[in-house]
Short mmCIF file of all heavy atoms in Angstrom, two decimals:
data_model
loop_
_atom_site.label_atom_id
_atom_site.label_comp_id
_atom_site.label_asym_id
_atom_site.label_seq_id
_atom_site.Cartn_x
_atom_site.Cartn_y
_atom_site.Cartn_z
N VAL K 475 100.82 113.90 142.49
CA VAL K 475 100.14 114.56 143.62
C VAL K 475 98.62 114.44 143.53
O VAL K 475 97.93 114.28 144.55
CB VAL K 475 100.59 116.07 143.57
CG1 VAL K 475 99.82 116.87 144.68
CG2 VAL K 475 101.99 116.25 143.76
N SER K 476 98.04 114.42 142.30
CA SER K 476 96.63 114.34 142.23
C SER K 476 96.11 113.10 142.76
O SER K 476 94.96 113.08 143.28
CB SER K 476 96.23 114.41 140.72
OG SER K 476 96.87 113.44 139.96
N THR K 479 95.17 113.71 146.42
CA THR K 479 94.00 114.62 146.76
C THR K 479 92.72 113.83 146.59
O THR K 479 91.71 114.24 147.17
CB THR K 479 94.09 115.82 145.90
OG1 THR K 479 94.26 115.43 144.51
CG2 THR K 479 95.20 116.74 146.22
N GLU K 480 92.71 112.78 145.77
CA GLU K 480 91.49 112.09 145.56
C GLU K 480 91.28 110.85 146.47
O GLU K 480 90.18 110.42 146.73
CB GLU K 480 91.38 111.61 144.12
CG GLU K 480 90.97 112.70 143.18
CD GLU K 480 91.60 112.64 141.85
OE1 GLU K 480 91.64 111.54 141.33
OE2 GLU K 480 92.04 113.63 141.32
N PHE K 714 95.04 125.27 131.89
CA PHE K 714 95.04 124.09 132.84
C PHE K 714 93.68 123.90 133.38
O PHE K 714 92.94 124.82 133.76
CB PHE K 714 96.05 124.26 133.90
CG PHE K 714 96.13 123.07 134.79
CD1 PHE K 714 96.72 121.90 134.38
CD2 PHE K 714 95.61 123.11 136.04
CE1 PHE K 714 96.78 120.81 135.21
CE2 PHE K 714 95.60 122.00 136.89
CZ PHE K 714 96.22 120.83 136.50
N GLN K 715 93.33 122.64 133.60
CA GLN K 715 92.15 122.32 134.41
C GLN K 715 92.39 121.08 135.23
O GLN K 715 93.16 120.13 134.76
CB GLN K 715 90.96 122.10 133.51
CG GLN K 715 91.04 120.98 132.48
CD GLN K 715 90.23 121.30 131.30
OE1 GLN K 715 90.06 122.40 130.83
NE2 GLN K 715 89.54 120.24 130.73
N TYR K 716 91.79 120.96 136.48
CA TYR K 716 91.95 119.83 137.22
C TYR K 716 90.86 118.87 136.69
O TYR K 716 89.74 119.17 136.71
CB TYR K 716 91.74 120.10 138.73
CG TYR K 716 92.87 120.85 139.37
CD1 TYR K 716 92.67 122.24 139.53
CD2 TYR K 716 94.01 120.22 139.76
CE1 TYR K 716 93.72 122.95 140.12
CE2 TYR K 716 95.02 120.97 140.37
CZ TYR K 716 94.85 122.35 140.52
OH TYR K 716 95.88 123.04 141.13
N GLU K 717 91.19 117.58 136.39
CA GLU K 717 90.31 116.61 135.90
C GLU K 717 89.02 117.13 135.17
O GLU K 717 87.98 117.11 135.69
CB GLU K 717 89.81 115.58 136.85
CG GLU K 717 90.69 115.44 138.15
CD GLU K 717 89.90 115.76 139.37
OE1 GLU K 717 88.71 115.49 139.45
OE2 GLU K 717 90.52 116.31 140.23
N LYS K 719 87.43 119.55 134.62
CA LYS K 719 86.32 120.44 135.12
C LYS K 719 86.52 121.80 134.50
O LYS K 719 87.13 122.00 133.42
CB LYS K 719 86.44 120.47 136.63
CG LYS K 719 85.88 119.10 137.19
CD LYS K 719 85.70 119.18 138.64
CE LYS K 719 85.45 117.77 139.21
NZ LYS K 719 86.38 117.42 140.30
N GLN K 720 86.11 122.78 135.25
CA GLN K 720 86.27 124.19 134.69
C GLN K 720 87.75 124.56 134.51
O GLN K 720 88.59 124.10 135.31
CB GLN K 720 85.65 125.21 135.72
CG GLN K 720 84.24 125.50 135.41
CD GLN K 720 83.52 125.73 136.65
OE1 GLN K 720 83.39 124.81 137.49
NE2 GLN K 720 83.02 126.87 136.82
N PRO K 721 88.06 125.37 133.52
CA PRO K 721 89.43 125.76 133.33
C PRO K 721 89.91 126.64 134.51
O PRO K 721 89.10 127.43 135.04
CB PRO K 721 89.43 126.63 132.06
CG PRO K 721 88.06 126.95 131.87
CD PRO K 721 87.19 125.87 132.48
N VAL K 722 91.12 126.31 135.07
CA VAL K 722 91.63 126.96 136.23
C VAL K 722 92.63 128.08 135.71
O VAL K 722 92.75 129.20 136.31
CB VAL K 722 92.31 126.07 137.20
CG1 VAL K 722 93.02 126.75 138.25
CG2 VAL K 722 91.26 125.07 137.78
N LEU K 723 93.36 127.78 134.64
CA LEU K 723 94.25 128.79 134.08
C LEU K 723 93.89 128.96 132.56
O LEU K 723 93.60 127.97 131.90
CB LEU K 723 95.73 128.28 134.21
CG LEU K 723 96.30 128.22 135.53
CD1 LEU K 723 97.73 127.71 135.46
CD2 LEU K 723 96.22 129.50 136.27
N ILE K 738 103.59 136.78 141.89
CA ILE K 738 102.26 136.62 141.41
C ILE K 738 101.31 137.11 142.52
O ILE K 738 101.44 136.56 143.67
CB ILE K 738 101.98 135.12 141.13
CG1 ILE K 738 103.08 134.45 140.35
CG2 ILE K 738 100.64 134.99 140.44
CD1 ILE K 738 103.05 134.69 138.91
N VAL K 739 100.44 137.96 142.22
CA VAL K 739 99.45 138.37 143.25
C VAL K 739 98.09 138.25 142.69
O VAL K 739 97.86 138.06 141.43
CB VAL K 739 99.71 139.88 143.65
CG1 VAL K 739 101.13 140.01 144.27
CG2 VAL K 739 99.45 140.81 142.53
N GLY K 740 97.09 138.30 143.56
CA GLY K 740 95.67 138.31 143.14
C GLY K 740 94.80 137.57 144.14
O GLY K 740 95.31 136.98 145.15
N GLN K 741 93.50 137.55 143.83
CA GLN K 741 92.60 137.00 144.82
C GLN K 741 92.87 135.51 145.09
O GLN K 741 93.35 134.83 144.16
CB GLN K 741 91.16 137.04 144.19
CG GLN K 741 90.58 138.41 144.26
CD GLN K 741 89.33 138.54 143.41
OE1 GLN K 741 89.12 137.66 142.65
NE2 GLN K 741 88.55 139.62 143.65
N SER K 742 92.36 135.12 146.20
CA SER K 742 92.48 133.67 146.61
C SER K 742 91.59 132.88 145.52
O SER K 742 90.52 133.38 145.13
CB SER K 742 91.93 133.53 147.97
OG SER K 742 91.61 132.21 148.14
N GLY K 743 92.04 131.68 145.11
CA GLY K 743 91.33 130.95 144.16
C GLY K 743 91.62 131.36 142.75
O GLY K 743 91.00 130.85 141.80
N GLY K 744 92.54 132.33 142.52
CA GLY K 744 92.80 132.86 141.23
C GLY K 744 93.69 131.92 140.39
O GLY K 744 93.81 132.15 139.15
N GLY K 745 94.35 130.95 141.01
CA GLY K 745 95.13 130.00 140.20
C GLY K 745 96.71 130.14 140.45
O GLY K 745 97.49 129.67 139.70
N LYS K 746 97.02 130.89 141.55
CA LYS K 746 98.43 131.08 141.76
C LYS K 746 99.13 129.84 142.18
O LYS K 746 100.18 129.48 141.64
CB LYS K 746 98.60 132.19 142.88
CG LYS K 746 97.82 133.50 142.61
CD LYS K 746 98.02 134.48 143.64
CE LYS K 746 97.48 134.14 145.09
NZ LYS K 746 96.00 134.01 145.10
N THR K 747 98.59 129.13 143.15
CA THR K 747 99.20 127.83 143.57
C THR K 747 99.25 126.88 142.30
O THR K 747 100.29 126.13 142.23
CB THR K 747 98.43 127.25 144.75
OG1 THR K 747 98.44 128.13 145.82
CG2 THR K 747 99.02 125.90 145.13
N THR K 748 98.23 126.94 141.57
CA THR K 748 98.20 126.05 140.37
C THR K 748 99.45 126.33 139.49
O THR K 748 100.05 125.41 138.97
CB THR K 748 96.88 126.23 139.63
OG1 THR K 748 95.83 126.10 140.52
CG2 THR K 748 96.75 125.26 138.50
N LEU K 749 99.82 127.63 139.29
CA LEU K 749 100.92 127.95 138.54
C LEU K 749 102.20 127.31 139.16
O LEU K 749 103.05 126.72 138.42
CB LEU K 749 101.16 129.47 138.47
CG LEU K 749 100.53 130.23 137.45
CD1 LEU K 749 100.93 131.73 137.58
CD2 LEU K 749 100.87 129.77 136.05
N ALA K 750 102.34 127.39 140.42
CA ALA K 750 103.47 126.82 141.16
C ALA K 750 103.53 125.30 140.88
O ALA K 750 104.56 124.66 140.65
CB ALA K 750 103.45 127.13 142.57
N ASN K 751 102.32 124.69 141.03
CA ASN K 751 102.19 123.27 140.81
C ASN K 751 102.66 122.86 139.40
O ASN K 751 103.29 121.81 139.26
CB ASN K 751 100.80 122.79 140.99
CG ASN K 751 100.37 122.77 142.46
OD1 ASN K 751 101.23 122.75 143.34
ND2 ASN K 751 99.08 122.72 142.73
N TYR K 757 101.67 118.56 138.04
CA TYR K 757 100.65 118.27 137.05
C TYR K 757 101.25 118.80 135.73
O TYR K 757 102.19 119.55 135.60
CB TYR K 757 99.37 119.12 137.31
CG TYR K 757 98.69 118.82 138.59
CD1 TYR K 757 99.09 119.50 139.74
CD2 TYR K 757 97.57 117.98 138.69
CE1 TYR K 757 98.49 119.21 140.97
CE2 TYR K 757 97.00 117.73 139.85
CZ TYR K 757 97.39 118.32 141.02
OH TYR K 757 96.80 118.10 142.20
N GLN K 788 103.01 127.55 152.10
CA GLN K 788 102.39 128.13 153.22
C GLN K 788 102.41 127.19 154.45
O GLN K 788 102.75 127.61 155.50
CB GLN K 788 100.89 128.52 152.88
CG GLN K 788 100.16 129.13 154.00
CD GLN K 788 98.81 129.66 153.52
OE1 GLN K 788 98.61 129.73 152.25
NE2 GLN K 788 98.01 130.02 154.42
N ASP K 868 105.38 129.93 147.78
CA ASP K 868 103.93 130.04 147.74
C ASP K 868 103.30 130.51 148.99
O ASP K 868 103.14 129.71 149.98
CB ASP K 868 103.36 128.65 147.32
CG ASP K 868 101.82 128.77 147.02
OD1 ASP K 868 101.25 129.90 147.13
OD2 ASP K 868 101.17 127.80 146.68
N GLU K 869 103.07 131.82 149.14
CA GLU K 869 102.48 132.44 150.34
C GLU K 869 103.30 131.98 151.60
O GLU K 869 102.73 131.66 152.61
CB GLU K 869 101.06 132.10 150.50
CG GLU K 869 100.29 132.29 149.17
CD GLU K 869 98.86 132.86 149.37
OE1 GLU K 869 98.56 133.27 150.46
OE2 GLU K 869 98.14 132.94 148.38
N ILE K 898 104.76 133.85 145.30
CA ILE K 898 103.34 134.08 145.33
C ILE K 898 103.12 134.74 146.67
O ILE K 898 103.47 134.23 147.73
CB ILE K 898 102.57 132.78 145.25
CG1 ILE K 898 102.80 132.10 143.84
CG2 ILE K 898 101.04 133.02 145.49
CD1 ILE K 898 102.38 130.75 143.77
N MET K 914 96.90 138.21 138.87
CA MET K 914 95.98 137.21 138.27
C MET K 914 94.56 137.30 138.81
O MET K 914 94.34 137.64 140.00
CB MET K 914 96.51 135.74 138.63
CG MET K 914 97.82 135.58 137.86
SD MET K 914 98.21 133.85 137.79
CE MET K 914 96.83 133.15 136.93
N ARG K 916 90.85 135.02 138.40
CA ARG K 916 90.12 133.94 137.80
C ARG K 916 90.92 133.17 136.66
O ARG K 916 90.38 132.93 135.68
CB ARG K 916 88.70 134.31 137.32
CG ARG K 916 87.88 134.70 138.44
CD ARG K 916 86.37 134.77 138.01
NE ARG K 916 85.69 135.74 138.89
CZ ARG K 916 85.49 137.01 138.62
NH1 ARG K 916 85.93 137.43 137.48
NH2 ARG K 916 84.88 137.80 139.42
N GLY K 917 92.14 132.86 137.03
CA GLY K 917 92.89 132.11 136.06
C GLY K 917 93.53 132.80 134.86
O GLY K 917 94.05 132.25 133.96
P1 ADP D 1302 95.20 130.31 144.67
O1 ADP D 1302 96.48 129.71 145.02
O2 ADP D 1302 95.34 131.47 143.72
O3 ADP D 1302 94.42 130.74 145.79
P2 ADP D 1302 94.63 127.77 143.47
O4 ADP D 1302 95.54 127.65 142.37
O5 ADP D 1302 94.89 127.00 144.70
O6 ADP D 1302 94.34 129.30 143.81
O7 ADP D 1302 93.13 127.30 142.97
C1 ADP D 1302 92.62 127.68 141.71
C2 ADP D 1302 91.33 126.95 141.45
O8 ADP D 1302 91.63 125.60 141.27
C3 ADP D 1302 90.33 127.08 142.58
O9 ADP D 1302 89.10 127.36 142.09
C4 ADP D 1302 90.33 125.71 143.28
O10 ADP D 1302 88.99 125.34 143.69
C5 ADP D 1302 90.82 124.75 142.15
N1 ADP D 1302 91.64 123.70 142.64
C6 ADP D 1302 92.80 123.78 143.31
N2 ADP D 1302 93.37 122.57 143.62
C7 ADP D 1302 92.46 121.64 143.11
C8 ADP D 1302 92.44 120.16 143.00
N3 ADP D 1302 93.44 119.43 143.49
N4 ADP D 1302 91.46 119.65 142.32
C9 ADP D 1302 90.46 120.28 141.76
N5 ADP D 1302 90.45 121.68 141.83
C10 ADP D 1302 91.44 122.36 142.48
#
Side-chain angles (χ1 to χ4, degrees):
V475 176
S476 60
T479 48
E480 279 144 45
F714 182 75
Q715 61 207 39
Y716 291 100
E717 341 118 34
K719 288 186 193 132
Q720 269 146 295
V722 171
L723 294 179
I738 315 277
V739 300
Q741 286 168 342
S742 164
K746 304 183 295 298
T747 300
T748 308
L749 270 184
N751 286 341
Y757 299 84
Q788 182 171 347
D868 187 358
E869 313 218 10
I898 297 166
M914 292 199 59
R916 291 198 206 95

